[in-house]
Amino acid sequence: MSIDLACMTFSALMAGQTPWRVLLACVLVVAVNAAGRVYEPRILPSSLDRGFWLAGAGLVATLAAFWESASLTVAVIAAALFVFLAFCGRCVFQAAVRAARRRGGIKPAVVVGANPHGHRLASALLGFPEYGLLPIGFLDEETDRDTGPPVLGTPDDLAEIFHAHEVRAVVIAGREGQDLARAARELGCEVYLAPAPDDLVLDFAPLREHVRSFPLLRMRPDPQTRLTWPLKRALDIAVALVGLVISAPILAVCALLVRWEIGPGVLFRQRRVGCGGRPIELIKLRTLKPVDAHESATRWSIAHDRRLGPVGKALRKSSLDELPQLWNVLKGDMSIVGPRPERPYFVDQFSATTPGYRLRHRVPVGITGWAQIHGLRGDTSIEDRARFDNHYIDDWSLRTDFKIMLRTAWSLLRPGGS
């Protein structure tokens, strides 16, 4: 990115552009390249990677930024100069990276699976240090193998080996190791899956990485580590602030109706499980008074409770009882979009019986979510909800958040929707 900024700044200045047009051109070229995944990390980048996209980004940025301030010929020449400089800059940078790796600047790595495929992969990494990974040993259930790099331990020993050998990358040779892969990512390692060359998955997954033509699939980073994640929090704050201001009169009317039907105690506070398993205090409008705290913490659904009055039923059907949770979003306990938070009693139950349930807590919980817009709310399948929530996390993007918010708004506004 810094190479593109420097090259576009120089090209724009040579074209006689004003400072603000130079800045606009820089912002545009970085934005277009980011959209084209030009800046995604590569194990062995090439100067020709995404070359056509880079050229297109330079042309788009100069034409848009130089509009009415330079002729078409000047803009095209500036774009060509940018592409030439960016290409040369990448050549120099990548040559320096490869030279540094050959001198020993490589990351200690472990290969999971001391099978023939794992040994061939380790040999390729040892023979070609420009790939930047140094296999210091294997993790394997059979620890008595004596050929090639040593077997440092079993996959269960990953955390200990990580600290003892300063491991920075994990390469999984085969299709095993799902839990290990997530544990390695949490430790801060780069994680790669290295399927065998004849593995069927290679006919479905796009291949962008390889080691001497051994295919590698890089594990996606956690959503919280992506550059766009801070924008999710900014969006949460903006939506929560606007929502609280707009809904203030509605909240006041609802509170008066609740006070009339139930009596004192309009707001309902309940302990829920948030991001990372941490407890949060969720706020809602009260729709029914429980007999005691135990009932509040352990009763699954009150949708058909006879004690539920007309006001409570209307609030629950319209989801207006959820409006105070905008304050939870503003505090940072929740997000607008995310898996719905559940009570600790049920989290323990579902985690013991439902595969992947605890994985829902990798991101902040939300007011609405992917499961909710597909009708999975209230007394519905926990297994389905966990699957939908984990799919949302694995495939998270700001575009998905906007989609969920729009569909939620539509479900609230359409007749009979909630």
Side-chain angles (χ1 to χ4, degrees):
M1 184 185 300
S2 57
I3 292 174
D4 290 347
L5 287 172
C7 294
M8 180 54 75
T9 298
F10 180 80
S11 300
L13 289 174
M14 291 298 294
Q17 298 302 301
T18 60
W20 80 267
R21 289 187 181 274
V22 173
L23 177 62
L24 177 60
C26 289
V27 170
L28 288 173
V29 77
V30 168
V32 174
N33 278 336
R37 302 167 65 183
V38 172
Y39 302 127
E40 284 191 354
R42 299 289 300 274
I43 190 171
L44 187 64
S46 166
S47 303
L48 297 177
D49 287 340
R50 308 295 287 170
F52 287 111
W53 190 281
L54 179 68
L59 184 59
V60 168
T62 54
L63 289 175
F66 301 173
W67 184 256
E68 295 183 347
S69 68
S71 65
L72 177 62
T73 302
V74 170
V76 171
I77 292 174
L81 178 60
F82 162 77
V83 173
F84 174 76
L85 294 175
F87 177 79
C88 292
R90 280 168 166 75
C91 288
V92 172
F93 175 76
Q94 289 155 14
V97 168
R98 297 186 187 202
R101 288 175 175 177
R102 293 190 185 99
R103 291 195 299 267
I106 50 182
K107 301 172 184 176
V110 292
V111 178
V112 181
N115 48 53
H117 173 52
H119 275 278
R120 288 191 291 269
L121 185 62
S123 297
L125 289 170
L126 286 169
F128 296 88
E130 58 263 33
Y131 286 96
L133 300 177
L134 173 65
I136 59 174
F138 291 99
L139 296 181
D140 198 277
E141 295 294 345
E142 298 181 28
T143 59
D144 57 350
R145 298 174 184 264
D146 55 3
T147 58
V151 176
L152 303 175
T154 68
D156 293 335
D157 301 324
L158 173 64
E160 180 182 346
I161 293 169
F162 168 82
H163 293 293
H165 297 276
E166 298 183 348
V167 174
R168 292 295 174 264
V170 173
V171 182
I172 302 173
R175 297 285 297 279
E176 304 297 329
Q178 177 179 345
D179 293 335
L180 180 142
R182 290 197 174 102
R185 184 172 61 181
E186 290 178 3
L187 289 169
C189 293
E190 294 178 3
V191 184
Y192 300 92
L193 175 65
D198 60 348
D199 196 312
L200 182 63
V201 71
L202 301 176
D203 291 328
F204 295 90
L207 294 179
R208 304 187 70 237
E209 306 275 27
H210 72 94
V211 171
R212 297 291 294 173
S213 290
F214 285 108
L216 284 186
L217 300 173
R218 184 188 292 264
M219 191 175 188
R220 286 178 296 192
D222 277 324
Q224 294 95 322
T225 64
R226 300 175 194 172
L227 293 176
T228 52
W229 185 258
L231 297 178
K232 178 178 175 66
R233 179 57 187 157
L235 180 65
D236 284 342
I237 294 173
V239 173
L241 281 172
V242 174
L244 284 171
V245 171
I246 293 176
S247 66
I250 302 173
L251 274 170
V253 172
C254 291
L256 289 173
L257 292 173
V258 170
R259 180 71 170 79
W260 170 76
E261 182 173 85
I262 298 178
V266 169
L267 290 179
F268 175 57
R269 300 175 184 271
Q270 191 176 64
R271 186 183 176 92
R272 298 286 179 104
V273 177
C275 182
R278 293 184 294 273
I280 63 171
E281 188 180 62
L282 181 140
I283 308 172
K284 298 177 68 174
L285 285 174
R286 189 180 297 278
T287 55
L288 176 147
K289 279 197 173 181
V291 173
D292 52 31
H294 178 73
E295 182 190 23
S296 174
T298 61
R299 182 164 183 180
W300 173 239
S301 175
I302 63 169
H304 303 291
D305 197 300
R306 293 181 179 179
R307 294 171 294 170
L308 200 62
V311 172
K313 289 179 180 178
L315 290 178
R316 290 179 60 81
K317 183 175 178 58
S318 63
S319 297
L320 290 175
D321 60 325
E322 311 279 0
L323 281 176
Q325 291 170 45
L326 291 171
W327 179 248
N328 286 110
V329 174
L330 208 56
K331 287 171 56 182
D333 294 337
M334 297 176 63
S335 175
I336 296 295
V337 179
R340 283 296 294 162
E342 194 46 80
R343 286 160 284 179
Y345 175 82
F346 291 108
V347 168
D348 292 338
Q349 279 193 348
F350 299 151
S351 297
T353 59
T354 306
Y357 189 82
R358 284 200 182 274
L359 292 175
R360 300 168 67 253
H361 300 118
R362 289 176 285 164
V363 298
V365 292
I367 295 177
T368 185
W370 187 245
Q372 282 65 44
I373 65 171
H374 286 88
L376 297 171
R377 62 196 302 269
D379 193 13
T380 54
S381 167
I382 301 303
E383 183 179 349
D384 287 349
R385 285 158 69 169
R387 187 177 68 254
F388 272 72
D389 287 335
N390 284 317
H391 172 75
Y392 161 76
I393 297 169
D394 292 334
D395 197 40
W396 176 83
S397 68
L398 280 177
R399 182 178 64 241
T400 303
D401 276 8
F402 279 115
K403 177 180 178 179
I404 292 172
M405 283 189 282
L406 289 173
R407 288 186 59 172
T408 301
W410 168 245
S411 69
L412 293 173
L413 294 173
R414 67 184 171 87
S418 176

